[in-house]
């Protein structure tokens, strides 16, 4: 499955580094990298079908990737990707980390930021919903 994902990404124009991913951990790292987030946003990649296949093969939640996870609450995780039928409330209050959130393929999120938290948000597709509840010290970067 990993090879299939990297081949599909390369066919869409991903850099040659993507072909070097050999396990789920390295694929997750690529997803949350600046270039990975940009690539996924541009190509809406991976698609819903591929994400479903990934979920069947891998415990993606240990990498912060929630696929069709229902209603969840997550606190201060550095990397979070929400895909499909996932509806999350994400709480951020750790000023010592730069948090990254990807929302795609119908997922929805409420971001709650406090205490100088910084979140970079990537919203992929028009079918996603984002709500932001933050104090005056926190920042969401789009």
């Amino acid at each position: 499955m990993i090879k299939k994902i990297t081949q599909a990404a390369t066919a869409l124009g991903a850099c040659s580094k993507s072909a070097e991913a050999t396990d789920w951990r390295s694929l997750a790292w690529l997803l949350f990298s600046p270039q990975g987030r940009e690539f996924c946003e541009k190509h809406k990649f991976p698609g819903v079908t591929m994400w479903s296949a990934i979920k069947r093969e891998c415990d993606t939640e240990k990498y912060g990737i929630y696929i069709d996870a229902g209603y969840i609450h997550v606190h201060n995780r550095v990397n979070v990707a929400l895909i499909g039928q996932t509806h999350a409330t994400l709480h951020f209050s750790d000023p010592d980390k730069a948090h990254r959130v990807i929302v795609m393929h119908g997922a929805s999120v409420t971001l709650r930021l406090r205490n100088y938290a910084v979140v970079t948000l990537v919203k992929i597709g028009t079918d996603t919903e984002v709500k932001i509840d933050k104090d005056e010290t926190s920042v969401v970067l789009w």
Side-chain angles (χ1 to χ4, degrees):
M1 183 61 161
I2 293 169
K3 188 133 179 105
K4 181 179 178 180
I5 295 165
T6 58
Q7 287 174 339
T10 303
L12 289 171
C15 73
S16 59
K17 281 252 186 227
S18 63
E20 295 175 12
T22 57
D23 58 17
W24 294 112
R25 182 175 181 221
S26 59
L27 273 178
W29 182 88
L30 285 172
L31 172 67
F32 290 109
S33 73
Q35 298 85 352
R37 294 189 313 263
E38 180 182 358
F39 177 82
C40 291
E41 183 175 21
K42 180 178 179 181
H43 297 286
K44 296 179 176 52
F45 183 85
V48 175
T49 304
M50 188 172 283
W51 278 120
S52 294
I54 291 168
K55 183 178 180 178
R56 286 191 297 274
E57 276 198 28
C58 174
D59 176 15
T60 59
E61 292 183 14
K62 71 180 175 184
Y63 302 111
I65 303 169
Y66 299 87
I67 306 164
D68 297 328
Y71 292 89
I72 62 171
H73 289 264
V74 178
H75 295 267
N76 285 319
R77 185 140 199 176
V78 173
N79 294 321
V80 179
L82 308 170
I83 297 118
Q85 297 302 308
T86 304
H87 312 286
T89 301
L90 305 180
H91 302 266
F92 299 103
S93 60
D94 186 344
D96 296 326
K97 295 180 182 145
H99 305 277
R100 292 172 287 280
V101 176
I102 301 169
V103 185
M104 63 191 307
H105 301 312
S108 64
V109 64
T110 299
L111 299 173
R112 297 185 191 268
L113 288 76
R114 304 287 183 270
N115 191 37
Y116 297 93
V118 176
V119 172
T120 299
L121 175 67
V122 176
K123 182 180 173 215
I124 301 174
T126 57
D127 59 345
T128 60
E129 183 181 338
V130 175
K131 295 178 184 173
I132 299 171
D133 171 18
K134 67 178 205 64
D135 68 13
E136 65 280 352
T137 69
S138 301
V139 178
V140 177
L141 305 170
W142 291 74

Coordinates of all heavy atoms in Angstrom, one line a residue, residues 37-48 51 82-84 101-109 121-130 142:
R37 N 1.9 19.2 2.9 CA 0.6 19.9 3.1 C 0.2 20.7 1.8 O -0.9 20.6 1.4 CB 0.6 20.8 4.3 CG 0.8 20.1 5.6 CD 0.6 21.1 6.8 NE 1.3 22.3 6.8 CZ 2.5 22.5 7.3 NH1 3.1 21.5 8.0 NH2 3.1 23.7 7.3
E38 N 1.2 21.3 1.2 CA 0.9 22.1 0.0 C 0.5 21.1 -1.1 O -0.4 21.4 -1.9 CB 2.2 22.9 -0.4 CG 2.0 23.7 -1.6 CD 3.3 24.4 -2.0 OE1 4.3 24.3 -1.3 OE2 3.3 25.1 -3.1
F39 N 1.2 20.0 -1.3 CA 0.9 19.0 -2.3 C -0.5 18.5 -2.1 O -1.3 18.4 -3.1 CB 1.9 17.9 -2.3 CG 1.6 16.8 -3.3 CD1 2.0 17.0 -4.6 CD2 1.0 15.7 -2.9 CE1 1.7 16.0 -5.5 CE2 0.7 14.7 -3.8 CZ 1.0 14.8 -5.1
C40 N -0.8 18.1 -0.9 CA -2.2 17.5 -0.6 C -3.3 18.5 -0.9 O -4.3 18.2 -1.4 CB -2.2 17.0 0.8 SG -1.2 15.5 1.1
E41 N -3.0 19.8 -0.5 CA -4.0 20.8 -0.8 C -4.2 21.0 -2.2 O -5.4 21.1 -2.7 CB -3.6 22.1 -0.1 CG -4.6 23.2 -0.2 CD -4.2 24.5 0.6 OE1 -3.0 24.6 0.9 OE2 -5.1 25.3 0.8
K42 N -3.2 21.1 -3.0 CA -3.2 21.3 -4.4 C -4.0 20.2 -5.2 O -4.7 20.4 -6.1 CB -1.8 21.5 -5.0 CG -1.8 21.8 -6.5 CD -0.4 22.0 -7.0 CE -0.4 22.3 -8.5 NZ 1.0 22.4 -9.0
H43 N -3.7 19.0 -4.8 CA -4.2 17.8 -5.5 C -5.3 17.1 -4.8 O -5.8 16.0 -5.3 CB -3.1 16.8 -5.8 CG -2.0 17.4 -6.6 ND1 -2.1 17.5 -8.0 CD2 -0.7 17.9 -6.3 CE1 -1.0 18.1 -8.5 NE2 -0.2 18.3 -7.5
K44 N -5.7 17.6 -3.6 CA -6.8 16.9 -2.8 C -6.4 15.4 -2.6 O -7.2 14.5 -2.8 CB -8.1 17.1 -3.4 CG -8.6 18.5 -3.4 CD -10.0 18.7 -4.0 CE -10.5 20.1 -4.0 NZ -9.7 21.1 -4.5
F45 N -5.1 15.2 -2.3 CA -4.5 13.9 -2.2 C -4.2 13.5 -0.8 O -3.8 14.4 0.0 CB -3.2 13.9 -3.0 CG -2.6 12.5 -3.1 CD1 -3.0 11.6 -4.1 CD2 -1.5 12.2 -2.2 CE1 -2.3 10.4 -4.1 CE2 -0.9 11.0 -2.3 CZ -1.3 10.1 -3.2
P46 N -4.4 12.3 -0.4 CA -5.0 11.2 -1.0 C -6.6 11.4 -1.0 O -7.1 12.1 -0.2 CB -4.7 10.0 -0.2 CG -3.5 10.4 0.7 CD -3.7 11.9 0.8
G47 N -7.2 10.7 -1.9 CA -8.6 10.7 -2.0 C -9.3 9.9 -0.9 O -8.6 9.2 -0.2
V48 N -10.6 10.0 -0.8 CA -11.3 9.3 0.3 C -11.1 7.8 0.2 O -10.9 7.1 1.2 CB -12.8 9.7 0.2 CG1 -13.6 8.9 1.2 CG2 -13.1 11.1 0.4
W51 N -7.7 6.9 1.5 CA -7.7 7.0 3.0 C -8.4 5.8 3.6 O -7.9 5.3 4.6 CB -8.3 8.3 3.4 CG -7.5 9.5 3.4 CD1 -7.7 10.7 2.6 CD2 -6.2 9.8 4.1 NE1 -6.7 11.6 2.8 CE2 -5.8 11.0 3.7 CE3 -5.5 9.0 4.9 CZ2 -4.6 11.6 4.2 CZ3 -4.3 9.5 5.5 CH2 -3.8 10.8 5.1
L82 N -7.7 15.4 9.9 CA -9.0 15.0 10.1 C -9.6 14.7 8.7 O -9.6 15.6 7.9 CB -9.9 16.1 10.8 CG -9.3 16.6 12.1 CD1 -10.0 17.8 12.6 CD2 -9.3 15.5 13.2
I83 N -10.1 13.5 8.5 CA -10.5 13.1 7.2 C -11.9 12.4 7.3 O -12.1 11.6 8.2 CB -9.5 12.1 6.6 CG1 -8.1 12.8 6.4 CG2 -10.0 11.6 5.2 CD1 -7.0 12.2 7.1
G84 N -12.7 12.7 6.3 CA -14.0 12.1 6.2 C -15.0 12.4 7.3 O -15.1 13.5 7.8
V101 N -2.7 21.4 11.6 CA -4.0 20.8 11.4 C -4.4 20.7 10.0 O -4.3 21.8 9.3 CB -5.1 21.5 12.2 CG1 -6.4 20.8 12.0 CG2 -4.7 21.5 13.7
I102 N -4.7 19.6 9.5 CA -5.3 19.4 8.1 C -6.7 18.9 8.2 O -6.9 17.9 9.0 CB -4.4 18.3 7.3 CG1 -2.9 18.8 7.2 CG2 -5.0 18.1 6.0 CD1 -2.0 17.7 6.7
V103 N -7.6 19.5 7.5 CA -9.0 19.1 7.5 C -9.4 18.9 6.1 O -9.3 19.8 5.3 CB -9.9 20.2 8.2 CG1 -11.3 19.7 8.3 CG2 -9.4 20.7 9.5
M104 N -9.9 17.6 5.8 CA -10.2 17.3 4.4 C -11.3 16.3 4.2 O -11.7 15.6 5.2 CB -9.0 16.9 3.7 CG -8.3 15.6 4.2 SD -6.7 15.2 3.5 CE -6.9 15.3 1.8
H105 N -11.9 16.3 3.1 CA -12.9 15.3 2.6 C -14.1 15.2 3.6 O -14.5 14.1 4.0 CB -12.3 13.9 2.4 CG -11.2 13.9 1.4 ND1 -11.3 14.5 0.2 CD2 -9.9 13.4 1.5 CE1 -10.2 14.3 -0.5 NE2 -9.3 13.7 0.2
G106 N -14.7 16.4 3.9 CA -15.9 16.4 4.7 C -15.8 16.4 6.2 O -16.7 16.5 6.9
A107 N -14.5 16.5 6.7 CA -14.3 16.5 8.2 C -14.7 17.9 8.7 O -14.7 18.9 7.9 CB -12.9 16.2 8.5
S108 N -14.9 18.0 10.0 CA -15.2 19.3 10.6 C -14.4 19.4 11.9 O -14.1 18.4 12.5 CB -16.7 19.5 10.8 OG -17.2 18.6 11.8
V109 N -14.1 20.7 12.2 CA -13.3 20.9 13.4 C -13.7 22.2 14.1 O -14.0 23.2 13.4 CB -11.8 20.9 13.1 CG1 -11.4 22.1 12.2 CG2 -10.9 20.9 14.3
L121 N -3.2 25.9 9.8 CA -4.4 25.2 9.4 C -4.4 25.0 7.8 O -4.3 26.0 7.1 CB -5.7 25.9 9.8 CG -7.0 25.4 9.4 CD1 -7.3 24.0 10.0 CD2 -8.1 26.3 9.7
V122 N -4.7 23.8 7.3 CA -4.9 23.6 5.9 C -6.3 23.0 5.8 O -6.6 21.9 6.3 CB -3.8 22.6 5.3 CG1 -4.1 22.3 3.9 CG2 -2.4 23.3 5.5
K123 N -7.1 23.7 5.0 CA -8.5 23.2 4.8 C -8.6 22.8 3.3 O -8.3 23.6 2.4 CB -9.4 24.4 5.1 CG -10.9 24.0 4.9 CD -11.8 25.2 5.2 CE -13.2 24.8 4.9 NZ -13.9 26.0 4.4
I124 N -8.8 21.5 3.1 CA -8.8 21.0 1.8 C -10.3 20.6 1.4 O -10.9 19.8 2.0 CB -7.9 19.7 1.7 CG1 -6.5 20.1 2.0 CG2 -8.0 19.1 0.3 CD1 -5.5 19.0 2.1
G125 N -10.8 21.3 0.3 CA -12.1 21.0 -0.2 C -13.1 22.0 0.4 O -12.9 22.6 1.5
T126 N -14.2 22.1 -0.3 CA -15.3 23.0 0.2 C -16.2 22.3 1.1 O -17.1 23.0 1.7 CB -16.1 23.6 -1.1 OG1 -16.6 22.4 -1.8 CG2 -15.2 24.4 -2.0
D127 N -16.1 21.0 1.3 CA -17.1 20.3 2.1 C -16.6 20.1 3.6 O -17.1 19.4 4.3 CB -17.3 18.9 1.5 CG -16.1 18.1 1.3 OD1 -15.0 18.6 1.4 OD2 -16.2 16.9 1.1
T128 N -15.5 20.9 3.9 CA -15.0 20.9 5.3 C -15.6 22.1 6.0 O -15.9 23.1 5.5 CB -13.5 20.9 5.3 OG1 -13.0 22.1 4.7 CG2 -12.9 19.7 4.6
E129 N -15.6 22.0 7.4 CA -16.1 23.1 8.2 C -15.1 23.3 9.3 O -14.6 22.4 10.0 CB -17.5 22.7 8.8 CG -18.1 23.8 9.6 CD -19.4 23.4 10.2 OE1 -20.1 22.5 9.7 OE2 -19.8 24.0 11.2
V130 N -14.8 24.6 9.5 CA -13.8 25.0 10.5 C -14.5 26.1 11.4 O -15.0 27.1 10.8 CB -12.5 25.5 9.9 CG1 -11.6 26.1 11.0 CG2 -11.8 24.4 9.1
W142 N -3.4 30.4 8.1 CA -4.1 29.7 7.0 C -3.1 29.6 5.9 O -2.4 30.4 5.5 CB -5.3 30.5 6.6 CG -6.4 30.5 7.6 CD1 -6.4 31.3 8.7 CD2 -7.6 29.8 7.6 NE1 -7.5 31.0 9.4 CE2 -8.3 30.1 8.7 CE3 -8.1 28.9 6.7 CZ2 -9.5 29.6 9.0 CZ3 -9.4 28.4 7.0 CH2 -10.1 28.7 8.2

